[in-house]
Amino acid sequence: MTDERRGDAMTAEIAPERGNQHGEQPRLYASERGTSGTPIVLLHGFAGNYTTYDAVIEALGERRTIAYDLPGHGRSRDWPETGHALAAARAVTADLGARDCGPVHLVGHSMGGAAATLIALKAPELLASLTLLAPGGFGHEVNQRLLRRYAVARSAEEIMILTEQFFGWRGTLPDGLVEAMVAERSDPAVTEGFAAIVEAILDGDEQKVLPRKALGSLPFPVKVIWGTQDRVLPTRHAHNLPGRVGTHVFDDVGHMPQLEIPEDVAALILQNAAGR
């Protein structure tokens, strides 16, 4: 992610990953489901994994989906380049090219939303539509204290207290979420990796930002979804987007719309994908 005024490396060209010492191309982990229609590609947020979209995928029915574990996360934890949204964008771009599945409907949440935006801006030929859920990089403000604490949390009590901040005030955590996070974070390398990634996302106490005005010139439908109770990235980041971008703001929803209102998210993805 790059500030439009700074124009640094996060707006660099997205180049394919280099092969390893044997010339083999690395592959991200992706869970594929369904068989119908143009693929819907799903990118999770910071410290998440592909399962964050399980409820959305269920609501999408038989639609073909490809849900990635992004570099440094889940089963892609050992990816050779991790850290920021550009690393994720490069990896997903290369993998989609290897799959040769044609233009896809791309969905990204938070950090994955920033990666999806970079893909859309730098490789628009790969996309048929773009749906962003509380995407990173749409403004400088970010709850950096929460993200830094969340990155290194390991006990069940601390994880529960911090994870609740990602949901709306009336929201409840999905069954088994905290237990799964405790099990994953029992390996100190996981939280060490998350701590490094969060510092790459941040620029001091702010986040780096994207040239969001450029979204208005993309040749496919773009939707942005946000919750009024987002305590990670403020809802005002969805204000004053280019006129061709559809903005959907939900009351009583926090930073995790794919878990809080999965049916609504799925419906908007399908609306964006209609006719393509």
Side-chain angles (χ1 to χ4, degrees):
M1 294 173 288
T2 309
D3 190 321
E4 295 173 64
R5 299 167 300 188
R6 290 197 284 263
D8 61 19
M10 289 306 291
T11 53
E13 291 299 321
I14 297 175
E17 295 288 338
R18 295 178 181 177
N20 60 25
Q21 62 181 338
H22 302 294
E24 298 170 349
Q25 190 77 4
R27 296 296 299 271
L28 286 181
Y29 177 78
S31 172
E32 292 197 54
R33 299 185 228 178
T35 58
S36 175
T38 300
I40 296 171
V41 174
L42 304 153
L43 310 183
H44 62 77
F46 168 66
N49 59 50
Y50 76 94
T51 65
T52 190
Y53 284 107
D54 280 353
V56 171
I57 292 171
E58 182 177 352
L60 288 171
E62 295 302 313
R63 286 299 299 254
R64 182 184 174 193
T65 60
I66 304 172
Y68 282 101
D69 274 349
L70 295 179
H73 296 77
R75 301 184 190 184
S76 300
R77 199 178 88 195
D78 296 329
W79 189 257
E81 182 190 14
T82 62
H84 42 63
L86 181 57
R90 285 173 172 160
V92 172
T93 298
D95 195 81
L96 288 176
R99 290 174 185 272
D100 194 25
C101 53
V104 301
H105 301 292
L106 186 59
V107 181
H109 169 243
S110 197
M111 186 186 83
T117 303
L118 285 167
I119 295 169
L121 295 177
K122 293 300 180 180
E125 69 280 2
L126 296 178
L127 272 61
S129 74
L130 176 66
T131 306
L132 303 171
L133 317 178
F138 275 43
H140 289 287
E141 303 98 327
V142 62
N143 192 339
Q144 50 86 17
R145 292 186 181 89
L146 174 59
L147 290 181
R148 285 178 164 129
R149 292 166 181 162
Y150 183 68
V152 298
R154 297 184 65 188
S155 73
E157 180 180 9
E158 186 177 15
I159 288 171
M160 178 176 291
I161 290 171
L162 294 171
T163 303
E164 286 176 340
Q165 305 307 305
F166 288 77
F167 289 76
W169 299 322
R170 296 189 182 94
T172 57
L173 302 185
D175 291 341
L177 177 62
V178 171
E179 292 80 2
M181 293 173 66
V182 170
E184 179 186 36
R185 292 163 181 244
S186 64
D187 180 352
V190 171
T191 50
E192 290 170 7
F194 289 161
I197 290 171
V198 79
E199 295 307 321
I201 294 170
L202 297 173
D203 184 9
D205 291 342
E206 298 181 338
Q207 67 170 337
K208 303 163 189 174
V209 300
L210 292 159
R212 63 181 197 158
K213 291 181 181 179
L215 291 172
S217 63
L218 292 174
F220 42 75
V222 179
K223 287 186 182 294
V224 175
I225 299 170
W226 230 293
T228 59
Q229 295 180 3
D230 193 322
R231 287 174 276 183
V232 180
L233 297 169
T235 310
R236 63 177 170 272
H237 289 181
H239 298 171
N240 301 317
L241 293 176
R244 292 174 61 184
V245 175
T247 305
H248 304 264
V249 179
F250 289 85
D251 286 334
D252 299 322
V253 172
H255 187 63
M256 307 294 287
Q258 73 276 26
L259 291 172
E260 298 175 76
I261 49 168
E263 293 84 5
D264 292 305
V265 169
L268 289 171
I269 292 170
L270 292 174
Q271 186 183 94
N272 226 14
R276 289 175 174 259

